[in-house]
Amino acid sequence: MQLWICPVLAFLLGSIPFGLFIARLKGIDIRAHGSGNIGATNVLRVVGKQYGITCLFLDLLKGYIPIVIAINLIQIDGKAIVPHLGFLDGLAMHLPVEKQFTGQLVHVITALCAVLGHNYSPWVGFKGGKGIATSGGVLLGLMPAAVVLLILVWIILFVTTRYVSIASIGAAAALPVLTHIGARFHKNADGISLWEAGTWNKPLFFFSLTIGLLAIWKHRTNIQRLREGTEHRFSRNNTKESS
């Protein structure tokens, strides 16, 4: 049961259109304003800063909660569980190290389903946001150290260009690179890198590559506007960033 319920739960949680609900509290259909996107950036631009931040936090949780549940329900012997939800131990499936690939695969499928639920929510005609915040949530559960580095990449690109779209695309492109570097630098108990030992998390790398490409694809209209010189920069006085 754990092998299929985690991805299903992730998709359902990911599909909750928080941006749409938050905007409606102010009497606004977010799909008819700005970029028409239900993500946090458009909510911030159209409805206001506090609403955009709230949407960002909720969209992040849509990714973080299901992956934490998956890690606790499908445990790999010898692997630390952070955070550990003790009340789920009685329902957990325990896999030996030799079968860690199965557990890792279900974890990343769960993560991918959360992102796909956000990007293609059935509640809004299989449309949605660009998945940046929800991707950040699942990565926070899977590889928190990488999230810190990705935030730095995002901030540097945003500060230097003032484009939210460029910062998001750059962070998406950096994700699989950081995952690969992590596999080479992390070592096992014998002091051998996981890459050299062949025990690196292969599903996680392909997941990072997939969501990185997916995020860039969802920004294709922004890329076109950047090429045409019509993409708007973000500023304190002008928040018309079409992201």
Side-chain angles (χ1 to χ4, degrees), residues 89-141:
D89 284 346
L91 301 173
M93 171 187 290
H94 295 269
L95 297 175
V97 176
E98 307 85 69
K99 294 186 177 181
Q100 69 173 3
F101 181 84
T102 299
Q104 293 168 343
L105 184 60
V106 176
H107 293 164
V108 300
I109 290 176
T110 298
L112 182 60
C113 285
V115 177
L116 291 176
H118 175 78
N119 288 359
Y120 304 101
S121 173
W123 316 118
V124 287
F126 291 95
K127 298 179 180 179
K130 294 185 171 73
I132 299 299
T134 304
S135 296
V138 299
L139 291 173
L140 192 60

Side-chain angles (χ1 to χ4, degrees), residues 63-99:
Y64 183 71
I65 290 175
I67 195 60
V68 167
I69 291 175
I71 290 173
N72 277 269
L73 284 181
I74 304 170
Q75 301 180 16
I76 301 170
D77 292 344
K79 301 291 184 180
I81 303 173
V82 181
H84 182 208
L85 306 179
F87 64 91
L88 291 178
D89 284 346
L91 301 173
M93 171 187 290
H94 295 269
L95 297 175
V97 176
E98 307 85 69
K99 294 186 177 181

